[in-house]
Structure formats: structure tokens, C-alpha cells
């Protein structure tokens, strides 16, 4: 990046964002990566960085953040170990910390199964638990090696403790015996690593031994009594052996580190990269940011509800700002401190952040096409040392930008042309904008010049925008309004602050007629905009109220449907219990009828028996089907028909429409005794309908087995075929049983079951079931013209 580009990054406060990013990183290596981050002009790489940030943020939401506090800069340590050097305990503990962090990162990655853009980076980690445990087991701290680091060290230290105890025991007898009077204090201390006692200087000859030290006053000499000299020599020998063993342990661990130095270095690099990525995700949480849509091509952007990331997110007013699509130049006008410069910086800074793979504080539907470079001339850069005025300092920067700008660049000017004669400054500003556009760059500029407002109104590809200002409260609202040029509101502000009206009127007289008319047009536009916004807000409130009412009605409807479903389910359960009891009762009746059949020798009785059984089974099955399908109970009011009399023929509405004969008129409770075939029952009057007497007709001669002169059960017409295609085997068998019951009641000699060809599973299940039925004479598949293997022909007995 050139010097002008770096200056623009500083002007747009990009480095402040990097400092906040570095604060989120745990390791120094990741912090350096954060501070070295620069915008990309490669769309694919920027998109990858953006996806990495998003994936890290998603993982943090689900699993929390992994710990990277154990990353250490061990590059130099690994290099020295590789050259055969011995590492000290602190360096070995740093290596163990890296290995532990890598192991925990691998466990973190194993908690989710889906692949992300971070998966390849986690895949670079190897860890080394045996080496990690070897180091942490042997080394307690920087100053202490564990006794269990080796059997030899453990043995040496046991011997040291034993001999040290012997020395103390000997000296304890000395300081508590007859020579205690020669001691300055009755204590045991050490000098030069040897145990000594403090003896009064005048009694030096009364305590035989070696003098190792003298007090600062000379009144005390530290004597190693003759009795413990040899024991102290043994301690020194053991301490030498201990030091040599520790050196051997450290050398062995260092050699093992050198053996895995490449893998450890790779772990450090991968962990640092992950720390850098998760720091970007943490910054996104801190700024309440989101990933924008990175456009495939084109240098343009559309920011929705964007906030400057360095402002308080709870106080900053979001703005909508766009450039590069319908227009390539945006002229922002409005009063001072109204938010013009902040809007300009927001546009530039968020574009840089997106190009760096960072989330931006804006709506996730915001769109950004990467700009090749972003140049900015913002702020007062006057310099006394360089003898530069405000205008000269700005112009120097503008000259550099004009020399560098090219297609795909974004150029930002704050108060373009300010600091000099207004007429010349406005003309210069128009020329600079025109040249930058000619070079193919997108331009956003703030100004107070009316000439630039007119320039935007009369030139294609240039759009006006303004920062809203509340004249009543003399406070800016910081809202950016695209498409409307702004007013300076100088007269209104002055009047509000108490400037005499005569002065204001005189000032207005100094304004040219054209300028006054232009300001009047702007004022009218502003009033119209406010009126439209008010109407829009009212419409939004009404729409929200309507939506709320609709949601409420929908909730009430859902509650009513759930209540109705529960009632239907309860009724269904009750009906199932009733039907179950009816079936049990029917089976009992069937058993009794079978006994009657055995006792009866007449064919007529046998036919009545079969008909009664088939009718009863059909009635129960049909009733069960109707109950399960939720068919409403049909009731006939008493006033729709005359009262029934003995001998009337009636249709039982709630028993599948069976025809029965009335045996006795209704009793006081409305119950009517009827007979259907061989069964007698009591039915309510409103659950039956009178049947008109059929006209006399010549009786058809029936086959001998089917004739039933004593049969009193009239049945509805039954169809000769049933279609069970698409059903499961269990459903089909149930449907065929019902069908056969109706066919038997109707006296049909044969029927057809349509099951389709398919795999043959349904056909096999149905035919196997039919062959077990005592009322079935024969079962065969259809032949040509009947449906072949897709149907089964059933002959009934």
C-alpha cells in the first residue's frame, strides 16, 4: 500500500479499529497479526476471511470461545533445542503450554461434526500429550524439579533428607547441651550451603570447628562444629549429584522437544491464526456487527442502518448510505456538527473493514463491492512548520489523490473547496469531482456550497444527500437523507438564538433572488418530506396494529382448533370403547347362535344364522368405519315423521341403515323395540326413519342354497368389487373383510378384489387371508380380460 493509502487509513481511523481488534486476541503473535491487517482487493480472499469470522462467531454462540491464553512464542526455544541446546524449566513449561492449548483446541473442534472454513486450520494441529505430560510431571515450576522426574533423583533427595535430618539432630544436641552458653542464639542456620551455629566471638575457641562467616558487628562467628563437618561434606556430594541429575533430565526433555520441533512450530502457527480469527469474531460481538454481502463484481456499496464503529453503539444514530450503483457521486450538505463528516467516515471505514474480513456494524443485508483503494481528505491539516494553511494542506492531499485515483477507487472529500474564496472554491470543487469521476472513481464529498447542490441536481450520476437538523430544538438528528439537498439553516438558527429580526431581514436582503428562491424550494421539499414521513409512520403503525390483530385472531383460531381436536379425539375414544364392547357382545351372540345351528337341522335356519352373523358383523364394521372417519351422528327430529306403529318397517340410521321391523310402539322414554333379522334391540324414535312399503313385484327364483323365505333382514345393495390399491396389507385385509360382509348380506355369488400388480406383496397377503375364511369357496387371480395378476376373483359359499 502506498503512502497516501496508509495516510487515508489513519484519517478514517482504521488503525483504531485494529487496536480494538488486537485487544481481543490472547497471544502476542495474534495481536501482531491484528495490527498488521490491511484491506484486500482480492474478492475471493476477502470472502474467505469474512466466512472465517462468521464461522468463528457461530461456534462461539454454540460452544463458547476456545482458550488461546497458553500460546507462547517458542520459535527461538525450538531452534536452540534443534541445535542440541538444553532448555531451562521455564522454556520447557512454555512448550508444554503450547501442547496443552493445541490439545484443548482439538477437543473444541471435535464438539461439532459439520465442516467449516476453520476445519482445515484445526486440522493442522497435532498436539503431543505424552511429551506434554512428561514435561509437566517432571517440572513443578521454574525453580523446582519434581522428585518423581526420575528414580535416581528421587533416591538422591531421600538420602539428602535423611542426612540433613542427621545434621540437625547432631546440632540440636550441641545447642541444648553444656556448650549452649557459648552461643549467641540457640539456632541452627546455614552459611555457604553448610549447617552452622552462631558462636560468641570471645568463645570462638570453646566450640571446635570451621568458621564460615562473621556478623557485621564482629560479635558473632558462624562455626561449623567439628562433629558435623563430615556429614556436611556428604550433603555437598549429594547436592552435586542432584544438580547433575537435573541437568540430565532437562537435556532429555530438550532432546524430545527437538524431535517434535516442526510439529510444535506448526501448532504455534495454527493456534495463532485461530486466535486471530476468533479475535475478529469477538470484535463482531463487541460492536454488535454482522457480515455484509460481498458482491461478486463492481466497486459499489449499499449500507443499511450503518453505525460508525467507534461511536457508542447505544447512542449512535444508524444511517442508510449507498454509492456506485444508481449514482457514482454523492454530495452531502447540511449544517455544521450535523453528522456529515461522520457519514463520510462511516462509508469509508466500513468499506475498509469489509475488505479486511471484519464484520461491520450494519444490517446484514448491506452490500459491499470491494474498492481497489480508498482515499480520504478529511479534517484540518494546516501546519505551521510547513507554512501550510488549511486550504493549502487540503489542496496538497487533493493533488496526491488526483495523481493516484483510478477506476474502482473510492475518494472521500470533507468540505471540498473550503478555506478560500467561495466562488473559486466552489468552481474548484466541481472541477475536482468531475476529474475524479472521469478517472472512474466513486466520489463522496461534504460541502456548504449551493453551487455543488445545483451541480448535483443538474448532472447525471450525482446525487444529493443531507443531514437532518431540527430547527426547533437547534439539534441535529444525525439522520442522512439521500435525494434531498440540505440547508445551512443559518438564519433560522440565528433567530432561534435571539439575533434581532432587523439584522436577519437585512441579511436576507443580501442573498440573491435565485439563491433565495433555491432555498425556498429546499424548504418546501423539506416540509413535503416531513409530511410524507409522518404519513408513512402512521401507515406503519396501522400495519403493525393490523398485524397484531391478525396474529391475535390466528392464535384464537388455533386455540379453538386445538380444543375441537381434543373434543373429537375424546369422542373418538369413547366411540372406540363402545364399539369394542359391542364386538365382545356380538361374539358372545355368535357363540350362542353356533349352538343353535348345531341343534337345528333345517336349511332355512342355517341360512338365517349365516345372514344374521354377516349382517351383525357388517353393521359393527360399518359403524366403526363411520366413527373413525368422524361422520356426524344423524338424528331425525320427531316432528318430521308420524309416530311408528307395530309392524312398521324402519331404517336404523345409526346402525349402517339396516332395515328392521317395529315390534312395539315407543314407550314413555321414547324407546322403540325392533327386530333386525334374528336380533332384537331397543332404539330411540329419533334414530330411525319410516320406510315406504315397496310395490309388489314378482319374486326372482333364487338358487336353492340362497333361498331364505324366513329371512327378515333387508340389506342395502352391495358392489361386486373393492379397490384396495395404495393401502398397507393390514388396511387392505380390514377393508376386504368389511366388503365380504356386505357381499354375503347381499347374496352375491362372487366378488372381485382390485389390488394392483406391484411387487405382489399385497396380492399374497389378501389371498392368504381369504383362503382362511370359511365363507370363501375359492380364490384365484384374474385371467386375461379380468385384470390378470392385478385382481383376485373370490367365489362365496
Amino acid at each position: 500500500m502506498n503512502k497516501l493509502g496508509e495516510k487515508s487509513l489513519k484519517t478514517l481511523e482504521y488503525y483504531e479499529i485494529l487496536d480494538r481488534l488486537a485487544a481481543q486476541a490472547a497471544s502476542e503473535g495474534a495481536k501482531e497479526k491484528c495490527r498488521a491487517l490491511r484491506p484486500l482487493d482480492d474478492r475471493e480472499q476477502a470472502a474467505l476471511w469474512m466466512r472465517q469470522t462468521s464461522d468463528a462467531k457461530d461456534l462461539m454462540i454454540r460452544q463458547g470461545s476456545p482458550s488461546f491464553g497458553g500460546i507462547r512464542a517458542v520459535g527461538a526455544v525450538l531452534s536452540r533445542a534443534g541445535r542440541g541446546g538444553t532448555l531451562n524449566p521455564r522454556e520447557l513449561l512454555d512448550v508444554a503450554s503450547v501442547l496443552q492449548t493445541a490439545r484443548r483446541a482439538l477437543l473444541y473442534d471435535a464438539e461439532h461434526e459439520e465442516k467449516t472454513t476453520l476445519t482445515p486450520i484445526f486440522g493442522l494441529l497435532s498436539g503431543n500429550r505424552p511429551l506434554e505430560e512428561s514435561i509437566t510431571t517432571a517440572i513443578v515450576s521454574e525453580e523446582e524439579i519434581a522428585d518423581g522426574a526420575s528414580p535416581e533423583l528421587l533416591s538422591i533427595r531421600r538420602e539428602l533428607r535423611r542426612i540433613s535430618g542427621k545434621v540437625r539432630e547432631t546440632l540440636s544436641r550441641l545447642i541444648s547441651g553444656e556448650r549452649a552458653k557459648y552461643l549467641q542464639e540457640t539456632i541452627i542456620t546455614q552459611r555457604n550451603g553448610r549447617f552452622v551455629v552462631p558462636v560468641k566471638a570471645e568463645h570462638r575457641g570453646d566450640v571446635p570447628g570451621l568458621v564460615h562467616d562473621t556478623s557485621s558487628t564482629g560479635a558473632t562467628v558462624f562455626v561449623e562444629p567439628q562433629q558435623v563437618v563430615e556429614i556436611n561434606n556428604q550433603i555437598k556430594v549429594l547436592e552435586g549429584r542432584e544438580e547433575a541429575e537435573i541437568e540430565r533430565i532437562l537435556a532429555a526433555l530438550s532432546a524430545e522437544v527437538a524431535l517434535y520441533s516442526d510439529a510444535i512450530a506448526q501448532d504455534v502457527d495454527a493456534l495463532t491464526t485461530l486466535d486471530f480469527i476468533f479475535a475478529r469474531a469477538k470484535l463482531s460481538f463487541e460492536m454488535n456487527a454482522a457480515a455484509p454481502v460481498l458482491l461478486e463484481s463492481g466497486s459499489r456499496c449499499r449500507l443499511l442502518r450503518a453505525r460508525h464503529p467507534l461511536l457508542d453503539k447505544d447512542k449512535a444514530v444508524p444511517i442508510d448510505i449507498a454509492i456506485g450503483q444508481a449514482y457514482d457521486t454523492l454530495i452531502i450538505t447540511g449544517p455544521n456538527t450535523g453528522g456529515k463528516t461522520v457519514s463520510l467516515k462511516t462509508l469509508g471505514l466500513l468499506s475498509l473493514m469489509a475488505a479486511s474480513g471484519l464484520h461491520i456494524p450494519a444490517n446484514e443485508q448491506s452490500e459491499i463491492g470491494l474498492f481497489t483503494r480508498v482515499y480520504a481528505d478529511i479534517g484540518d491539516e494546516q501546519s505551521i512548520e510547513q507554512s501550510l494553511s488549511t486550504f493549502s494542506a487540503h489542496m496538497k492531499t487533493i493533488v496526491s489523490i488526483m495523481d493516484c485515483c483510478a477506476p474502482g477507487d473510492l475518494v472521500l472529500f470533507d468540505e471540498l473547496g473550503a478555506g478560500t474564496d467561495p466562488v473559486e472554491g466552489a468552481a474548484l470543487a466541481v472541477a475536482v469531482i468531475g476529474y475524479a469521476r472521469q478517472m472512474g472513481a466513486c466520489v463522496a464529498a461534504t460541502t456548504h456550497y449551493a453551487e455543488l447542490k445545483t451541480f448535483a441536481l443538474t448532472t447525471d450520476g450525482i446525487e444529493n444527500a443531507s443531514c437532518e437538523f431540527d430547527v426547533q430544538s437547534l439539534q441535529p438528528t444525525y439522520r442522512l437523507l439521500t435525494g434531498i439537498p440540505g440547508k445551512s439553516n443559518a438564519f433560522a438558527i440565528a433567530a432561534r438564538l435571539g439575533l434581532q429580526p432587523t439584522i436577519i431581514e437585512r441579511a436576507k436582503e443580501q442573498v440573491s433572488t435565485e439563491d433565495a428562491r433555491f432555498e425556498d424550494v429546499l424548504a418546501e421539499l423539506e416540509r413535503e418530506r416531513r409530511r410524507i414521513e409522518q404519513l408513512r409512520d402512521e401507515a406503519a403503525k396501522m400495519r403493525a396494529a393490523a398485524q397484531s390483530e391478525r396474529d391475535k385472531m390466528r392464535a384464537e383460531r388455533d386455540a379453538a382448533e386445538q380444543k375441537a381436536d381434543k373434543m373429537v379425539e375424546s369422542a373418538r375414544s369413547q366411540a372406540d370403547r363402545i364399539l369394542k364392547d359391542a364386538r365382545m357382545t356380538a361374539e358372545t351372540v355368535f357363540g350362542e347362535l353356533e349352538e343353535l345351528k348345531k341343534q337345528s337341522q333345517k336349511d332355512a335356519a342355517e341360512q338365517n344364522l349365516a345372514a344374521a352373523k354377516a349382517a351383525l358383523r357388517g353393521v359393527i364394521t360399518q359403524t366403526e368405519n363411520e366413527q373413525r372417519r368422524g361422520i356426524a351422528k344423524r338424528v331425525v327430529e320427531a316432528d318430521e315423521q308420524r309416530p311408528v306403529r307395530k309392524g312398521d318397517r324402519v331404517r336404523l340410521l345409526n346402525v349402517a341403515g339396516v332395515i328392521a321391523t317395529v315390534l312395539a310402539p315407543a314407550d314413555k322414554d321414547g324407546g322403540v323395540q325392533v327386530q333386525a333379522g334374528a336380533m332384537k334391540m331397543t332404539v330411540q324414535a329419533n334414530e330411525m326413519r319410516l320406510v315406504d312399503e315397496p310395490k309388489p313385484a314378482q319374486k326372482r327364483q333364487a338358487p336353492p342354497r340362497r333361498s331364505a323365505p324366513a329371512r327378515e333382514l333387508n340389506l342395502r345393495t352391495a358392489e361386486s368389487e373393492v379397490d384396495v390399491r395404495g393401502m398397507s396389507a393390514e388396511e387392505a385385509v380390514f377393508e376386504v373383510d368389511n366388503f365380504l360382509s356386505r357381499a354375503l348380506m347381499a347374496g352375491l355369488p362372487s366378488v372381485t378384489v382390485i389390488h394392483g400388480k406391484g411387487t405382489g406383496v399385497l396380492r399374497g397377503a389378501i389371498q392368504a387371508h381369504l383362503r382362511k375364511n370359511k365363507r370363501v369357496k375359492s380364490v384365484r387371480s384374474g385371467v386375461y380380460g379380468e385384470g390378470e395378476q392385478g385382481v383376485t376373483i373370490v367365489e362365496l359359499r
Side-chain angles (χ1 to χ4, degrees):
M1 181 173 289
N2 57 29
K3 186 176 180 181
L4 181 60
E6 292 287 348
K7 179 182 178 183
S8 297
L9 294 183
K10 182 179 180 181
T11 300
L12 293 171
E13 301 172 297
Y14 178 78
Y15 295 125
E16 280 77 357
I17 298 298
L18 297 189
D19 288 340
R20 291 181 63 178
L21 176 62
Q24 303 296 332
S27 63
E28 285 301 321
K31 291 180 184 292
E32 291 177 5
K33 280 180 173 286
C34 292
R35 296 189 184 98
L37 181 63
R38 293 296 181 271
L40 299 169
D41 56 8
D42 183 347
R43 191 265 172 198
E44 291 185 2
Q45 186 64 34
L48 174 61
W49 285 6
M50 188 72 73
R51 288 197 301 273
Q52 288 176 345
T53 305
S54 298
D55 289 343
K57 190 174 181 180
D58 291 341
L59 288 175
M60 289 177 65
I61 292 173
R62 288 181 291 169
Q63 301 176 209
S65 175
S67 174
F68 297 108
I71 303 175
R72 300 287 185 270
V74 295
V77 172
L78 296 177
S79 177
R80 184 151 55 84
R83 294 194 300 270
T86 298
L87 307 180
N88 60 42
R90 175 70 270 163
E91 292 169 335
L92 287 169
L93 287 175
D94 285 346
V95 172
S97 178
V98 169
L99 295 175
Q100 183 185 59
T101 305
R103 175 170 56 83
R104 290 177 176 175
L106 286 170
L107 293 175
Y108 180 88
D109 181 54
E111 290 182 20
H112 61 275
E113 297 180 356
E114 67 275 13
K115 304 296 182 182
T116 68
T117 55
L118 305 184
T119 301
I121 304 175
F122 277 109
L124 296 174
L125 298 173
S126 56
N128 191 329
R129 187 154 192 173
L131 177 57
E132 174 195 338
E133 292 180 346
S134 296
I135 295 173
T136 54
T137 301
I139 303 175
V140 178
S141 67
E142 295 182 40
E143 295 82 18
E144 183 180 359
I145 304 299
D147 292 352
S150 73
E152 177 67 14
L153 183 62
L154 179 61
S155 174
I156 292 171
R157 287 183 171 173
R158 282 177 178 172
E159 184 67 15
L160 268 173
R161 284 190 287 270
R162 186 185 69 79
I163 294 178
S164 296
K166 184 177 180 181
V167 171
R168 289 181 177 278
E169 183 181 349
T170 302
L171 293 178
S172 294
R173 288 198 300 269
L174 175 65
I175 64 178
S176 60
E178 60 182 12
R179 294 181 179 176
K181 59 186 177 181
Y182 305 134
L183 302 181
Q184 195 72 264
E185 293 180 85
T186 56
I187 61 171
I188 301 171
T189 184
Q190 282 189 325
R191 286 294 184 273
N192 301 322
R194 302 178 75 89
F195 289 99
V196 297
V197 293
V199 179
K200 297 175 182 178
E202 59 271 22
H203 294 291
R204 159 70 188 83
D206 296 322
V207 180
L210 303 176
V211 176
H212 287 279
D213 198 4
T214 304
S215 68
S216 59
T217 61
T220 304
V221 291
F222 294 94
V223 178
E224 178 185 5
Q226 192 66 41
Q227 301 96 309
V228 297
V229 170
E230 183 57 31
I231 302 176
N232 273 334
N233 289 339
Q234 294 178 22
I235 290 176
K236 295 297 286 186
V237 171
L238 287 173
E239 286 177 346
R241 289 177 56 194
E242 178 187 29
E243 186 175 346
E245 179 62 16
I246 289 174
E247 284 295 319
R248 188 196 67 78
I249 292 170
L250 295 178
L253 292 174
S254 300
E256 193 170 359
V257 169
L259 185 63
Y260 297 104
S261 60
D262 291 341
I264 296 172
Q266 181 171 289
D267 282 354
V268 172
D269 291 342
L271 288 171
T272 302
T273 301
L274 288 170
D275 188 11
F276 171 49
I277 293 172
F278 276 91
R280 304 201 306 255
K282 292 174 186 176
L283 181 64
S284 176
F285 278 114
E286 182 184 276
M287 298 189 305
N288 193 20
V293 178
L294 291 183
L295 301 176
E296 294 288 342
S297 61
S299 299
R300 62 185 188 276
C301 76
R302 182 173 66 95
L303 302 177
L304 305 175
R305 297 190 60 77
R307 295 176 285 103
H308 194 287
L310 298 181
L311 296 178
D312 187 342
K313 62 183 179 183
D314 296 324
K315 296 180 181 179
V317 177
I319 63 170
D320 294 346
I321 187 170
I323 195 170
Q325 192 164 6
Y327 46 87
D328 58 25
T329 301
L330 188 65
I331 305 298
I332 305 175
T333 52
N336 290 323
T337 70
K340 299 190 303 298
T341 303
V342 172
S343 298
L344 207 63
K345 284 187 173 182
T346 301
L347 173 61
L349 183 55
L350 267 56
S351 298
L352 294 173
M353 290 175 63
S356 304
L358 299 175
H359 287 181
I360 62 174
N363 189 288
E364 60 186 7
Q365 294 179 346
S366 299
E367 299 175 340
I368 295 181
L370 301 187
F371 294 101
T372 306
R373 284 171 294 275
V374 177
Y375 298 122
D377 175 38
I378 299 174
D380 188 358
E381 300 185 15
Q382 63 178 337
S383 171
I384 296 176
E385 292 182 359
Q386 301 180 21
S387 300
L388 293 175
S389 66
T390 300
F391 176 76
S392 299
H394 277 294
M395 191 51 58
K396 185 177 179 181
T397 303
I398 291 171
V399 169
S400 300
I401 293 175
M402 293 300 99
D403 290 339
C404 298
C405 71
D409 292 347
L410 173 63
V411 181
L412 307 174
F413 296 115
D414 187 30
E415 300 294 351
L416 181 59
T420 187
D421 178 75
V423 176
E424 292 182 356
L428 192 58
V430 170
V432 167
I433 292 174
Y435 180 80
R437 295 185 67 206
Q438 182 181 344
M439 299 304 295
C442 291
V443 181
T446 66
T447 185
H448 286 286
Y449 293 145
E451 289 86 349
L452 285 180
K453 304 176 190 177
T454 306
F455 177 58
L457 288 172
T458 58
T459 307
D460 291 337
I462 303 180
E463 185 64 87
N464 270 307
S466 60
C467 290
E468 188 179 50
F469 188 86
D470 189 344
V471 180
Q472 298 300 320
S473 63
L474 295 182
Q475 294 292 329
T477 65
Y478 301 109
R479 295 177 57 202
L480 184 67
L481 308 173
T482 302
I484 301 176
K487 293 181 60 180
S488 65
N489 295 301
F491 295 153
I493 294 173
R496 184 75 174 171
L497 293 175
L499 187 64
Q500 291 86 341
T502 55
I503 299 176
I504 295 175
E505 289 300 324
R506 187 173 299 174
K508 288 181 178 180
E509 292 174 359
Q510 302 301 316
V511 179
S512 66
T513 304
E514 291 183 0
D515 290 342
R517 187 179 301 115
F518 183 69
E519 289 296 320
D520 290 341
V521 170
L522 292 182
E524 181 61 28
L525 284 173
E526 177 66 13
R527 285 193 293 272
E528 184 65 17
R529 182 192 64 78
R530 290 180 180 274
R531 188 182 69 82
I532 292 173
E533 281 197 353
Q534 183 178 2
L535 292 174
R536 184 181 62 190
D537 292 343
E538 291 176 357
K541 290 179 181 178
M542 293 174 65
R543 185 166 58 251
Q547 180 67 34
S548 176
E549 189 65 25
R550 184 163 56 249
D551 292 343
K552 180 179 179 181
M553 293 177 64
R554 187 174 298 164
E556 291 177 352
R557 183 196 64 193
D558 292 343
E561 289 180 353
Q562 290 178 2
K563 183 176 180 180
D565 290 343
K566 290 180 180 179
M567 293 175 64
V568 170
E569 187 63 29
S570 175
R572 242 180 227 156
S573 300
Q574 185 176 1
D576 287 342
R577 288 195 299 271
I578 294 172
L579 288 169
K580 183 177 180 181
D581 294 341
R583 280 191 175 277
M584 293 177 63
T585 303
E587 291 301 328
T588 302
V589 173
F590 289 162
E592 295 175 355
L593 292 176
E594 287 290 348
E595 292 297 326
L596 292 175
K597 175 184 174 183
K598 292 178 182 178
Q599 297 174 7
S600 175
Q601 300 298 324
K602 297 181 181 180
D603 291 341
E606 183 177 349
Q607 290 177 1
N608 279 334
L609 174 64
K613 288 174 64 179
L616 189 54
R617 280 199 176 101
V619 166
I620 294 174
T621 302
Q622 183 69 17
T623 304
E624 184 175 7
N625 286 340
E626 291 178 353
Q627 289 286 356
R628 288 182 176 176
R629 293 171 186 170
I631 297 178
K633 181 178 180 180
R634 296 167 293 180
V635 178
V636 179
E637 299 297 336
D639 58 358
E640 294 183 2
Q641 59 182 9
R642 66 169 175 77
V644 295
R645 296 189 292 268
K646 181 178 180 180
D648 284 344
R649 298 171 65 79
V650 294
R651 185 182 300 277
L652 307 182
L653 299 178
N654 292 321
V655 194
V658 169
I659 304 299
T661 303
V662 177
L663 299 179
D667 57 20
K668 62 179 180 178
D669 296 326
V672 180
Q673 187 176 11
V674 298
Q675 180 172 357
M679 292 190 63
K680 294 181 181 179
M681 64 188 78
T682 300
V683 182
Q684 292 296 314
N686 61 351
E687 294 179 353
M688 62 179 66
R689 186 189 298 275
L690 282 168
V691 178
D692 294 335
E693 291 296 333
K695 296 180 180 180
Q698 184 178 357
K699 291 186 178 181
R700 179 175 60 88
Q701 186 67 30
R705 287 183 58 86
R706 299 292 180 181
S707 60
R711 185 172 180 176
E712 299 181 12
L713 188 64
N714 292 332
L715 306 173
R716 293 178 298 175
T717 303
E719 297 183 358
S720 61
E721 62 182 30
V722 63
D723 190 345
V724 295
R725 288 177 292 185
M727 300 182 185
S728 65
E730 183 179 355
E731 293 172 339
V733 167
F734 183 78
E735 185 65 25
V736 168
D737 278 347
N738 294 340
F739 169 67
L740 289 182
S741 296
R742 296 192 296 271
L744 284 167
M745 287 189 291
L748 297 179
S750 65
V751 293
T752 302
V753 179
I754 305 172
H755 43 64
K757 297 180 180 179
T759 60
V761 175
L762 187 58
R763 179 180 67 249
I766 291 173
Q767 291 185 357
H769 178 72
L770 289 173
R771 289 190 177 96
K772 298 176 184 178
N773 194 319
K774 297 179 180 180
R775 289 299 169 184
V776 174
K777 181 178 181 181
S778 65
V779 178
R780 65 175 177 83
S781 295
V783 297
Y784 182 76
E786 292 178 329
E788 301 181 11
Q789 297 297 316
V791 301
T792 294
I793 308 301
V794 184
E795 291 188 19
L796 303 175
R797 295 183 183 278

